[in-house]
Amino acid sequence: MSQPVVHIQNLNLKYKHKVVLRDLNWTINRGDNWVLNGISGSGKTSLAKIITGTQSAVGNIDINFDTTSKLSARVMYVESWYQFKNLEGVANFYYQQRYTSLQVKETLTVEAELKLFGKENSLDFAQAEIIINALGFAGQKTSQLIELSSGEHKKLQLVKALWLKPQLLIIDQPYTGLDVNSRKSLNDLLDGIAKAGVNLILICNDTELPESINRFALLENGQIVEVSSAGRLQLDTDYSLGEIPEFLRKSPDYSSESIIRMVNINISYGEKQVLKNINWEVNKGERWLLQGHNGSGKSTLLSLVNGDHPQAYANELYLFGNRRGSGESIWDIKQRIGLISPEFHWYFDTSSTVWQSVASGLYDNFGLQLELPYTKAKQVDDLVAYFGLTDIKNETMGTLPLGKQRLVLLARTIIKNPELLILDEPCQGLDQQQTQYFNCLVDELCSNGMTLVYVGHYESALPTTLEKRILLDKGNVKVIEEINITEEAYSSSN
């Protein structure tokens, strides 16, 4: 009988005074392909890093590679969060830099990054090309790393992992940021490498999984609990919202009937045209769903609205009734907008406490050093309590699991009751309970008249308040229509 690939005995991990893993035992045999789920903060990512050898813990872990296999004798971990570096080896970027320095060669291109990875691991680039094409990633080969969206960064890491074919591959949130077609293609690719002998561990709460997945487990109370099927992995989503803070029960103080108006908007980077003749109008109180394949132009479109893209001045763009460039500052625009996006999260200062981070949304900065007046401080306290964050309000963001960080940023986004709420895949990193909780909150907020632009791929993870949809395809507006999110037709069209 062959040895198991991974054999874990009595694994223990504490963070400060919290027990994360408690006498955990887990055996992964050859041919076992697992999905692991659990609430945010349960220790899934820590366990993955311990297996990979990048985080220490108390206990025994034996990893046994097959010395007769042609597969790489490695454990590879694809993180849910990827931090890239510039050409000088520095990772200290700022949020708007993605749009303000695209003509400057500050980071490697996708193709250069992959060729470097291939050289380091003695891989044939022709094999990478097959994976790139299967994931619909060929159009980004000449893009710099700083230009990529969160979904495109995920694809880059997946290409590396699928190309390398390690004997054990652990992927944290494999479908994060991927559109419907890319998720299907990824499942086919994962089935292919599993057939070749790669053992898989997918950390996720998705139900549309590769056919090769044959083992299922929850991480509960610091231990592995095996279950019989993917359906058993679904967490209890019975949420009862508390009373929404009083300052968020009133309608935003609108300055104009028109919130966004775009007239023949075109955005190009050299020869590459990202947006083509976009015409779109959003009026106050409307709730829009923005969709499109990865790389369709969604992030660029939102960067124009949020005041981050310099090419806004070369186009006919009206925000809150004023033409862009007519004298308003970027801070005049941002004061009217609440924004959350994966890219914004990348660049957020995680040295601030939870309370400071939420409060910073009042002034659109990345931290808060000044003292707030009593009424503003009470708003922060009320919102922190509403999101269930009171017990961790003095902890720094960097010490929290990703899901908790995202909840803090969501609270920050709505603290000023903005005229326009932009939620770009806001539930990335949240478990099912947190996702339902937040979308119920969005529904309640918008019932009082808040204007919403929401980016999301999953029909099951959308607020019910959405009423209109704009669909982008290769930089063009493909569809503008009225929607009912209980319908299934549009969920499969992007």
Side-chain angles (χ1 to χ4, degrees):
M1 183 175 179
S2 64
Q3 292 179 312
V5 179
V6 180
H7 185 54
I8 301 174
Q9 288 182 299
N10 301 322
L11 192 66
N12 288 274
L13 176 67
K14 280 188 177 182
Y15 180 75
K16 293 185 177 179
H17 301 296
K18 179 184 177 183
V19 175
V20 180
L21 305 177
R22 185 197 308 271
D23 295 327
L24 182 144
N25 297 292
W26 195 15
T27 299
I28 299 171
N29 294 306
R30 302 194 190 283
D32 284 352
N33 295 303
W34 290 81
V35 165
L36 178 63
N37 194 13
I39 63 172
S40 178
S42 60
K44 303 183 299 296
T45 296
S46 293
L47 178 57
K49 290 181 177 180
I50 292 166
I51 296 172
T52 311
T54 57
Q55 184 169 331
S56 60
V58 177
N60 298 314
I61 298 183
D62 293 320
I63 297 178
N64 304 291
F65 295 116
D66 182 356
T67 57
T68 66
S69 173
K70 294 181 180 180
L71 299 177
S72 176
R74 288 173 57 179
V75 179
M76 187 172 185
Y77 172 52
V78 177
E79 298 188 63
S80 63
W81 211 246
Y82 174 62
Q83 182 66 68
F84 60 94
K85 296 181 179 180
N86 66 12
L87 296 175
E88 297 178 353
V90 177
N92 186 25
F93 298 99
Y94 58 90
Y95 177 58
Q96 292 85 357
Q97 193 168 351
R98 180 182 177 196
Y99 307 108
T100 59
S101 60
L102 295 181
Q103 306 308 318
V104 181
K105 302 301 181 184
E106 296 198 8
T107 58
L108 289 174
T109 64
V110 167
E111 186 170 31
E113 172 81 1
L114 288 173
K115 285 184 174 178
L116 179 61
F117 179 81
K119 183 178 180 181
E120 291 172 345
N121 294 279
S122 302
L123 299 172
D124 179 6
F125 192 74
Q127 296 300 311
E129 294 272 22
I130 296 172
I131 302 167
I132 290 168
N133 292 330
L135 288 176
F137 199 39
Q140 280 68 48
K141 284 198 297 184
T142 59
S143 298
Q144 292 187 61
L145 301 186
I146 197 172
E147 297 178 57
L148 303 181
S149 68
S150 62
E152 290 163 347
H153 271 291
K154 176 63 78 173
K155 285 185 178 182
L156 175 60
Q157 303 318 304
L158 290 170
V159 170
K160 291 180 180 179
L162 293 162
W163 187 17
L164 180 65
K165 292 181 184 164
Q167 290 192 29
L168 177 59
L169 175 58
I170 306 172
I171 310 180
D172 202 341
Q173 303 300 330
Y175 307 103
T176 292
L178 301 187
D179 57 53
V180 172
N181 290 339
S182 296
R183 295 198 296 269
K184 292 177 180 176
S185 297
L186 174 59
N187 282 345
D188 291 339
L189 290 165
L190 289 172
D191 282 334
I193 64 170
K195 187 175 181 180
V198 175
N199 281 85
L200 301 173
I201 302 175
L202 307 184
I203 302 174
C204 65
N205 57 16
D206 299 270
T207 56
E208 296 180 12
L209 298 167
E211 293 180 2
S212 54
I213 295 297
N214 54 16
R215 305 296 292 273
F216 311 90
L218 290 166
L219 187 51
E220 291 183 336
N221 301 318
Q223 297 187 334
I224 292 290
V225 179
E226 187 170 359
V227 296
S228 59
S229 66
R232 298 281 185 177
L233 293 173
Q234 303 311 301
L235 304 169
D236 180 15
T237 57
D238 183 19
Y239 256 116
S240 56
L241 289 176
E243 187 174 11
I244 194 168
E246 184 177 356
F247 72 95
L248 290 176
R249 293 179 212 158
K250 64 178 182 178
S251 176
D253 186 13
Y254 284 108
S255 56
S256 170
E257 290 289 324
S258 175
I259 304 300
I260 303 167
R261 186 159 73 93
M262 297 184 174
V263 181
N264 297 324
I265 296 289
N266 289 278
I267 299 294
S268 298
Y269 307 134
E271 298 293 320
K272 183 179 180 180
Q273 190 166 6
V274 180
L275 295 179
K276 307 169 187 176
N277 298 317
I278 301 295
N279 291 279
W280 183 37
E281 186 163 0
V282 176
N283 294 313
K284 78 172 188 179
E286 293 181 344
R287 284 94 64 192
W288 285 82
L289 174 64
L290 169 60
Q291 290 188 309
H293 293 297
N294 297 130
S296 62
K298 301 186 301 296
S299 295
T300 301
L301 184 74
L302 293 180
S303 72
L304 291 169
V305 176
N306 195 44
D308 288 325
H309 206 299
Q311 291 189 44
Y313 298 104
N315 282 276
E316 190 174 350
L317 170 65
Y318 300 86
L319 299 176
F320 307 103
N322 298 311
R323 179 159 182 172
R324 191 74 173 93
S326 60
E328 82 293 350
S329 72
I330 187 174
W331 302 114
D332 291 331
I333 294 171
K334 289 183 178 297
Q335 185 58 35
R336 297 186 170 104
I337 297 174
L339 167 73
I340 185 65
S341 70
E343 293 78 18
F344 181 86
H345 193 166
W346 282 351
Y347 303 112
F348 194 82
D349 179 12
T350 57
S351 66
S352 298
T353 67
V354 167
W355 197 95
Q356 289 172 332
S357 298
V358 174
S360 70
L362 291 166
Y363 302 103
D364 299 298
N365 53 19
F366 279 168
L368 191 76
Q369 308 302 326
L370 53 86
E371 287 192 15
L372 295 180
Y374 172 79
T375 55
K376 296 294 185 184
K378 187 176 185 305
Q379 288 182 1
V380 178
D381 286 336
D382 289 348
L383 196 54
V384 165
Y386 185 70
F387 272 83
L389 302 168
T390 302
D391 60 336
I392 58 170
K393 69 177 183 180
N394 294 320
E395 294 188 23
T396 58
M397 288 279 282
T399 64
L400 303 180
L402 184 63
K404 289 287 187 183
Q405 289 185 32
R406 185 54 59 88
L407 278 182
V408 173
L409 293 184
L410 294 174
R412 179 191 185 276
T413 299
I414 62 174
I415 184 69
K416 61 188 177 186
N417 198 11
E419 296 176 56
L420 173 62
L421 190 60
I422 300 177
L423 303 178
D424 185 357
E425 298 197 56
C427 297
Q428 279 193 20
L430 302 188
D431 61 40
Q432 290 172 299
Q433 291 175 310
Q434 291 168 329
T435 296
Q436 184 183 19
Y437 172 63
F438 177 70
N439 282 330
C440 286
L441 171 62
V442 172
D443 287 334
E444 190 165 353
L445 281 170
C446 290
S447 69
N448 290 327
M450 187 174 290
T451 308
L452 173 66
V453 176
Y454 193 109
V455 181
H457 296 295
Y458 296 92
E459 183 186 4
S460 61
L462 296 174
T464 60
T465 190
L466 296 167
E467 58 183 4
K468 297 185 177 184
R469 179 172 78 129
I470 177 171
L471 174 63
L472 298 184
D473 181 31
K474 298 179 181 178
N476 295 291
V477 174
K478 185 176 181 181
V479 173
I480 291 180
E481 62 183 356
E482 304 284 332
I483 62 168
N484 180 335
I485 70 155
T486 61
E487 298 175 359
E488 297 181 357
Y490 79 83
S491 68
S492 60
S493 65
N494 72 93

